[in-house]
């Protein structure tokens, strides 16, 4: 056998020089933003060595990640050495004896914050990555890598950050049969069938990616939960994942089916006030904690869309949540109880039901319960006004639930950067305690002084090689993590970081990529749901337009329910003259929303029913404005295609081609949305298109006839 | 920006030297057996250059593959050059003017055979890869690569081969919703949703892998077909795949739902003798051929397991097949009509029904119909006697249908090399025209002089990174292709090639790997279905033992139906004293099978019902022999674990670990099979275990209570 060094050399040369050989690095998107390719410009990233003081599993992975990252970025090997040389990077928790003399200001860092700066250690100048816990050190290591990846000189590093939110959680809507509800990137990442025996290296890479953006929790299974996920068979599988995630500071949570005591325990009831039910859950929690000592707790969807819940027994959501909370409390677990509820037998506007159910329960939840509220009152639309529960339950910790997977925003293929959507919601001012009472301050707990805070993102992660179905979908996972760490972060700054890390930090790349991303979500709003429209997607799979659907049994199943267009007017009147949904907001805001003239035009048709001839601030009628929006949306996609085409010389072939083809799909589908919508509106309002506007390609019957029975993600 | 050469160099160095860096080559199994790593020993693989004479898409991919392969294997760049230098490899079809003077014996090569040998070309010694078609040249290029990959000196190459079978086809049981029936390796490889726009590079790698083993057809969708696969929406997607596969000599086929004229065409009937129905199919075929000019044709599962078919209209399978055959005949398409039929309302033994239905139709099929027959009469069991239709329909082309995916052989995780199973079936002698009338000769058409010949394998391919769910499952895909090329090939020789190509050609690796593989399928037979037992798996998902199930509505749904064990006896009497299924074989064979004493013991309980005390040739009773088989099967798995453990130093970490963990699963499950089976048999026959044999770990009730509601692959 040839010696290893020679073999390795031959390996590389072969890979490099063969005309069509396997590339040394497959640019298939697997690396996400942890893409440690050599930086094109000398960035002063060279460092002598890395030294980890202390030894825990988390410190070990922090050291390994820095070694891997800096070796890759600087294109030279950076060794891990025991003693800190001059120029080294040193990782240590703040209590390490070697740091005692430095008197670093680490108190404010809490349990997860970090500090990265140059210090003198025993007379040697080193870059120190420190924190009060090893988790904090890991976050600091990733922050240092990001600093370098985004083109900054290592020598100038001086970073400190502490998360504003305690629970930064991905919700996986993954089913035990391997499908993913609203998943557009392949099967569930969890191969339940080979767990716990086989520990796919991919699980570790998932944990690395999450830790790099500060995510510290993972709800493994769908909120539409199966009781079986709580059986020993599946608990063992969850425990295997928890073991893999633990060094990365990530806790595992499970969605709990409320009726599990009946289905698994053989009880006759799941009434939360029944002592046997409570005892069953306590025993179940004890069993889970024996397998997963740091189990995070339960996420529950109850009494919503057919799921069982406490209301089945005439108990409140608080009764249900508190019973579960008591089961996990001895183990310091928590319960995330979803406020996404609407009942088919409730005649009230769907947009009002969650508030009606939950607002009266403010202050009634146990201290280890946090109520999880979607960003808007309907369901993850391209745009929704912030949910009226934010600011309305001061005595209750509320956590944000964003949807990272793009159920309603073009699914797998459309390029829609959600950063601006997250930002828009978080910066919205509830006016609950006067100006500045932003949703971000509800979420980070500062508004009403809650320590239990959280943000959940419905994951867009599957077994597809690039994790999220497209390169640009990865940006939404990244942005979610960043906003969960700091709800006051900026979508633009996050996009810049992501683009630099995912492609390269050169302005010639970052500039156009960020430009594409910046308006991409607004473009989706424009070509799907302009002016505050919502939920006009085809039913079930939510793929493509379905504005005309009005014949399904329950009113809220029909897109028509959400726009109610007639010959004369369009929109749902939710002001005082309508169903008064605006009154669910704080009075100061409710007053503004009561009048179309003081309602943001972007939300006009959400809150108000107006004539087609209603004048917008631009002077155009609603109809004219709507037509303009559709065309602007379509035009934006054309612009993204042009921007991307110009980037061809700077992007590797494989990722370039995939995005290029997806943008082609998006352009065709944006046009379809625009044309189908205009066809439908004109069939209702009988208005002509403004001069110079192109007529739809087909008649309305054609659009109505489209069927997509196997659209993905539809349970 | 640094210059490219420097960047590339930095890239490699970084990847190599970083302690935990992304390896230059991810050893995740993606490369399959096309793993062009530098050979450890100098094998004389260096070649000056590659020259392709002529220019077609297929010649281009042949040249590219050789460049890629030889550059990788020799660890130096092998350029493609226009003029053949001395020492070059030259690719050309035999009609190329440059070869005229050589007078090569290429006539016998037909349309797909190849010749690889050293020749003098214009006074220069070169290695010539030639064939009568560019497809043949491609096969020759892969044969040359295999020669080198298996450790042979390039200078000694002298290869010639011609496929014995015309249609070498993978049947994908892939559904339009992305699931795969009996698939254990992730979602469907076909991302129907992004096709035809996005052409995943993986589709090309799929074609490369297939071409490398001679597979020339791909049935894209499940035999349990949806009519929608024949709509323009899906035809366009199939056409995109056909475009990608075409240079690799692979034709696309579709499974056709027999009732599509009703579902898509709005007709009131799908009666094959109805002129409107025939016209609908002709028009549909024309439409498909407009999109896919070389479309292969249709595969049909009719009147089986609930699928519609001609018998719904009191027509025969021949009526149905011939009507479809007429639709594709003008385009030179074919129909593969499955003989896997059994009807719930038929009281006859399930093992007899296909013969009963099809034997009378011999000679009644159109010339472009081939009847596709599973290897055995039940359903892809660990062992079945060959299907009695082989040899029984001399006037009808019959193609073999093997199952590559291991529905009944441990599914994803068990290591079971199917080469010996393929070989055993193909070498079985039907005695139809005297000795030597092997199944292989039925399949290759020599027995009854058919030119239309074929072999189909139900694919084990999904979107998992390693394609087939495990490294060793890849060997079954490989072996299928090789046996389809030459049904007289040897399972052992194929295993040797595969091991050398997949790992390395060193005897220290190939030896133990082939040893593990050699007995692995027999081990599954031993621990699941010894002595001719069959179909004793749990119902539906077929995962794990279900021998005791006897309460389902239809008799053949119950494992009990297949063994009928009582206190005194076990097995199904299919001899003359029973249901006379043995009479479906040729008389000379039927006579042997009529008597348990002249029936191969491996098939004993398939053909005969015998007392538990029946004496085997070894002198043991059936009960003793059965117990011994179970234990031998479990023991074999322990042996494979030990063999694999010893290979640790020679196998990359990622592939080593996955196989190691899967062998652990297999050992546990083999034990489960053995214990559950013994528990059940003892509950029936009340016999003691032979002395020294370990009692099952649990009582029968425990095994009966096991439930696996989300077992994969179950539609």
């Amino acid at each position: 056998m040839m010696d290893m060094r020679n073999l390795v050399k031959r390996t590389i040369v072969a890979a490099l020089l063969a005309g069509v050989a396997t590339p040394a690095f497959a640019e298939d998107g697997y690396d996400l933003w942890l893409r440690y390719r050599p930086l094109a410009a000398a960035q002063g990233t060279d460092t002598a060595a890395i030294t980890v003081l202390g030894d825990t599993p988390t410190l070990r992975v922090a050291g390994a990640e820095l070694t891997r990252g800096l070796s890759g970025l600087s294109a030279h090997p950076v060794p891990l050495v025991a003693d800190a040389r001059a120029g080294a990077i040193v990782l240590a928790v703040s209590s390490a004896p070697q740091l005692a003399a430095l008197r670093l200001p680490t108190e404010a860092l809490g349990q997860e914050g970090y500090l990265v700066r140059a210090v003198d250690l025993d007379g040697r100048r080193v870059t120190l990555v420190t924190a009060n816990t090893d988790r904090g050190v890991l976050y600091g290591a990733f922050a240092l890598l990001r600093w370098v990846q985004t083109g900054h000189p290592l020598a100038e590093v001086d970073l400190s950050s502490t998360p504003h939110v305690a629970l930064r959680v991905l919700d996986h809507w993954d089913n035990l049969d391997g499908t993913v509800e609203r998943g557009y990137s392949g099967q569930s990442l969890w191969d339940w069938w080979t767990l716990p025996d086989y520990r796919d290296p991919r699980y570790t890479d998932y944990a690395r990616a999450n830790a790099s953006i500060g995510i510290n929790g993972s709800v493994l299974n769908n909120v539409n939960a199966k009781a079986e996920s709580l059986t020993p068979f599946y608990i063992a599988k969850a425990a295997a994942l928890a073991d893999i995630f633990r060094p990365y500071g990530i806790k595992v949570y499970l969605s709990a089916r409320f009726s599990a005591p009946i289905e698994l325990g053989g009880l006759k009831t799941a009434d939360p006030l029944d002592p046997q039910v409570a005892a069953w859950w306590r025993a179940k929690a004890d069993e889970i904690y024996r397998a997963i000592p740091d189990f995070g707790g339960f996420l529950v969807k109850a009494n919503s869309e057919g799921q069982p819940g406490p209301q089945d027994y005439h108990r409140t959501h608080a009764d249900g949540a508190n019973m579960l909370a008591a089961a996990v409390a001895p183990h310091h677990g928590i319960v995330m109880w979803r406020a996404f509820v609407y009942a088919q037998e409730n005649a009230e506007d769907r947009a009002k039901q969650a508030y009606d159910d939950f607002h009266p329960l403010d202050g009634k939840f146990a201290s280890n319960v946090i109520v999880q509220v979607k960003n808007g009152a309907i369901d993850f639309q391209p745009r929704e006004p912030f949910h009226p529960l934010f600011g309305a339950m001061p005595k209750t910790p509320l956590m944000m639930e964003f949807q990272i997977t793009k159920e309603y925003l073009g699914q797998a293929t459309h390029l829609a950067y959600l950063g601006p959507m997250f930002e828009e919601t978080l910066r919205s001012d509830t006016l609950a305690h006067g100006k500045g009472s932003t949703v971000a301050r509800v979420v980070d707990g500062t508004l009403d002084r809650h320590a239990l805070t959280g943000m959940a993102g419905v994951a867009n992660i599957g077994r597809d090689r690039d994790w999220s179905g497209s390169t640009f979908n990865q940006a939404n996972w990244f942005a979610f993590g960043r906003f969960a760490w700091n709800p006051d972060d900026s979508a633009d700054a996050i996009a810049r970081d992501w683009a630099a890390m995912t492609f390269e930090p050169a302005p010639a790349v970052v500039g156009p990529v960020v430009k594409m991303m910046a308006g991409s979500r607004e473009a989706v709003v424009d070509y799907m749901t302009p002016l505050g429209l919502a939920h006009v997607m085809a039913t079930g799979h939510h793929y493509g337009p379905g504005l005309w659907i009005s014949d399904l049994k329950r009113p809220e199943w029909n897109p028509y329910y959400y726009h109610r267009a007639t010959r004369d007017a369009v929109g749902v009147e939710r002001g005082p003259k309508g169903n008064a949904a605006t009154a669910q907001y704080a009075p100061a805001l409710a007053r503004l929303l009561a009048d179309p003239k003081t309602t943001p035009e972007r939300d006009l048709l959400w809150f108000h029913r107006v004539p087609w001839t209603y004048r917008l601030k631009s002077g155009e009628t609603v109809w004219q404005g709507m037509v303009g929006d559709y065309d602007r949306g379509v035009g934006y996609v054309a612009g993204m295609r042009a921007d991307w085409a110009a980037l061809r010389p700077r992007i590797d072939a494989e990722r370039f081609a995939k995005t290029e083809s997806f943008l082609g799909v998006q352009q065709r589908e944006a046009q379809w949305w625009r044309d189908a919508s205009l066809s439908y509106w004109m069939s209702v309002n009988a208005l002509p298109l403004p001069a110079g506007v192109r007529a739809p390609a087909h008649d309305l019957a054609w659009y109505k006839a489209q069927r997509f029975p196997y659209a993905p993600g539809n349970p």
Side-chain angles (χ1 to χ4, degrees), chain A:
Chain A
M1 212 174 101
M2 70 203 288
D3 77 62
M4 184 51 68
R5 184 183 305 261
N6 197 13
L7 177 62
V8 162
K9 185 169 146 248
R10 283 162 62 99
T11 304
I12 313 156
V13 172
L16 266 183
L17 300 178
V20 286
T22 311
F25 298 103
E27 288 286 10
D28 53 17
Y30 183 81
D31 289 341
L32 296 162
W33 50 88
L34 301 177
R35 195 168 153 280
Y36 302 136
R37 302 294 187 276
L39 290 167
Q43 302 279 1
T45 56
D46 292 2
T47 188
I50 293 159
T51 297
V52 182
L53 304 178
D55 184 27
T56 70
T58 298
L59 287 174
R60 250 172 276 153
V61 300
E65 191 75 29
L66 262 186
T67 307
R68 172 184 188 151
L70 291 176
S71 299
L73 291 161
S74 68
H76 84 167
V78 178
L80 271 173
V81 299
D83 291 313
R85 310 167 182 168
I89 294 171
V90 176
L91 280 65
V93 293
S94 57
S95 59
Q98 296 93 329
L99 307 193
L102 296 175
R103 297 169 187 266
L104 292 163
T106 60
E107 259 176 55
L109 299 179
Q111 292 300 298
E112 298 186 294
Y114 58 81
L115 182 69
V116 183
R117 63 163 64 156
V119 297
D120 286 313
L121 200 67
D122 291 333
R124 303 183 187 99
R125 193 69 178 171
V126 303
T127 303
L128 177 67
V129 179
T130 192
N132 294 325
T133 64
D134 53 5
R135 285 173 358 253
V137 172
L138 178 63
Y139 291 141
F142 277 115
L144 173 56
L145 284 166
R146 185 200 306 164
W147 174 261
V148 175
Q149 286 179 279
T150 51
H152 298 95
L154 183 57
E156 293 173 19
V157 69
D158 187 359
L159 302 166
S160 180
S161 184
T162 304
H164 297 203
V165 173
L167 309 173
R168 307 177 299 276
V169 176
L170 287 182
D171 289 358
H172 290 269
W173 286 0
D174 291 18
N175 299 314
L176 300 184
D177 65 3
T179 59
V180 180
E181 185 168 335
R182 310 309 174 184
Y184 312 100
S185 51
Q187 267 191 319
S188 171
L189 196 57
W190 325 129
D191 186 353
W192 294 119
W193 211 246
T194 59
L195 281 168
D197 298 275
Y198 179 55
R199 301 182 175 208
D200 192 324
R202 190 157 191 173
Y203 303 142
T204 301
D205 288 329
Y206 164 87
R208 289 175 52 234
N210 279 328
S212 78
I213 50 177
I215 287 170
N216 65 2
S218 191
V219 185
L220 299 179
N221 61 320
N222 193 350
V223 289
N224 292 319
K226 298 288 186 187
E228 285 93 342
S229 66
L230 301 174
T231 58
F233 186 71
Y234 283 99
I235 290 170
K237 296 166 190 287
L241 291 174
D243 289 344
I244 295 167
F245 299 167
R246 191 169 293 112
Y248 295 91
I250 298 165
K251 284 186 184 182
V252 153
Y253 298 76
L254 291 173
S255 291
R257 183 164 165 89
F258 199 77
S259 53
I262 300 172
E263 290 150 355
L264 300 183
L267 301 187
K268 292 211 167 59
T269 178
D271 181 348
L273 301 194
D274 182 297
Q276 279 191 294
V277 170
W280 186 89
W281 280 108
R282 277 198 307 276
K284 181 54 69 180
D286 293 347
E287 178 190 351
I288 295 171
Y289 277 93
R290 278 193 298 275
I292 312 173
D294 57 352
F295 178 65
F298 294 123
L299 170 64
V300 185
K301 173 177 180 176
N303 293 119
S304 175
E305 302 185 315
Q307 291 297 312
Q311 293 178 338
D312 300 346
Y313 307 96
H314 309 290
R315 313 300 185 189
T316 69
H317 284 284
D319 293 330
N322 294 345
M323 180 274 294
L324 283 174
V328 295
H331 308 282
H332 312 293
I334 60 138
V335 169
M336 300 177 284
W337 191 272
R338 289 177 97 225
F340 176 68
V341 296
Y342 68 99
Q344 301 191 352
E345 61 278 13
N346 190 340
E348 184 56 271
D349 180 13
R350 175 174 167 185
K352 294 178 67 179
Q353 294 186 34
Y355 181 97
D356 287 351
D357 266 17
F358 278 82
H359 182 254
L361 300 176
D362 189 28
K364 300 213 157 54
F365 289 93
S367 62
N368 61 333
V369 174
I370 185 165
V371 174
Q372 183 167 313
V373 182
K374 287 189 182 181
N375 60 299
I378 301 270
D379 192 20
F380 298 139
Q381 294 306 298
R383 165 165 285 131
E384 295 190 46
F386 75 87
H387 199 296
L389 279 172
F390 289 111
M393 295 184 71
K395 296 178 201 153
T396 307
L398 298 188
M399 71 190 284
M400 172 65 74
E401 179 176 325
F402 282 126
Q403 192 182 46
I404 308 171
T405 188
K406 306 200 311 299
E407 175 180 354
Y408 295 98
L409 287 102
Q411 304 187 352
T413 48
H414 294 207
L415 197 167
Y417 172 53
L418 302 183
M421 189 178 82
F422 301 155
E423 183 183 81
E424 176 179 302
T425 302
L426 291 164
R427 292 188 181 176
S428 294
D429 199 335
T430 69
L431 300 180
H433 300 336
K435 281 212 173 202
S437 304
T438 60
V439 172
R441 294 193 60 212
V442 178
V443 171
D444 70 16
T446 56
L447 191 66
D448 295 304
R449 299 189 192 164
H450 292 294
L452 181 56
T453 58
M455 193 183 296
V458 180
N460 66 349
I461 299 166
R463 223 182 290 180
D464 274 2
R465 186 64 183 164
D466 64 5
W467 303 84
S468 301
S470 82
T471 304
F472 280 87
N473 286 340
Q474 298 174 353
N476 295 327
W477 176 8
F478 183 87
F480 167 77
R482 292 284 295 272
F483 276 113
W485 182 276
N486 177 9
D488 293 316
D489 211 330
S490 134
D492 180 70
I494 294 169
R496 288 184 177 282
D497 281 355
W498 177 81
M501 297 166 82
T502 301
F503 300 109
E504 57 166 300
V509 172
V510 172
V513 167
V514 171
K515 173 182 168 239
M516 290 169 65
M517 294 166 76
S520 58
R521 174 262 189 160
E522 198 65 34
V524 175
V525 172
D526 283 340
Y527 62 71
M528 287 188 189
T529 55
L531 288 175
L533 287 169
H535 220 298
V536 293
M537 296 76 186
T539 49
H541 52 61
H542 300 150
Y543 172 73
L547 300 86
W548 44 82
I549 298 169
S550 62
D551 58 354
L552 300 178
K553 204 174 89 186
R554 286 291 312 172
E556 75 279 4
W557 291 353
N558 294 288
Y560 173 80
Y561 175 92
Y562 300 94
H563 65 71
R564 323 242 176 129
T566 58
R567 168 87 192 220
D568 300 318
V570 61
V572 180
E573 184 54 48
R574 293 191 167 107
K577 294 175 190 156
N579 68 28
T582 52
Q584 294 183 334
Y585 290 98
L589 180 56
R591 275 192 298 276
L592 292 172
L593 297 177
D595 182 350
K597 294 295 174 197
T598 50
T599 298
E601 277 187 355
R602 67 187 190 192
D603 299 326
L604 181 64
L605 302 179
W606 178 283
F607 286 117
H608 298 291
R609 179 170 184 77
V610 298
W612 290 102
T613 53
Y614 177 90
R615 291 284 163 187
L616 301 172
K617 292 188 176 66
S618 65
E620 292 181 313
T621 64
V622 158
W623 172 236
Q624 290 164 335
M626 193 183 273
V627 173
D629 283 357
Y630 286 121
D631 277 329
R632 191 171 63 231
V634 174
Y636 193 89
V637 179
M640 288 197 292
R641 289 185 83 180
D643 289 339
W644 188 249
L647 281 166
R648 185 188 294 267
R650 303 297 292 250
I651 310 283
D652 49 280
E654 186 167 344
R655 290 190 300 172
F656 181 84
K658 186 167 183 179
T659 293
E660 183 185 40
S661 82
F662 279 20
L663 286 168
V665 172
Q666 185 174 9
Q667 178 132 39
R668 186 176 67 230
E669 295 187 350
Q671 190 73 44
W672 167 38
W673 263 100
R674 178 257 189 210
D675 285 0
S677 302
L678 291 181
S679 279
Y680 171 69
W681 299 130
M682 290 192 291
S683 79
V684 173
N685 66 18
L687 290 170
L689 285 172
V693 171
R694 205 171 67 173
H698 301 279
D699 63 16
L700 180 58
W702 188 92
Y703 297 107
K704 285 185 174 182
Q706 302 304 305
R707 292 286 179 278
F708 304 95
Y710 304 104
N714 191 24

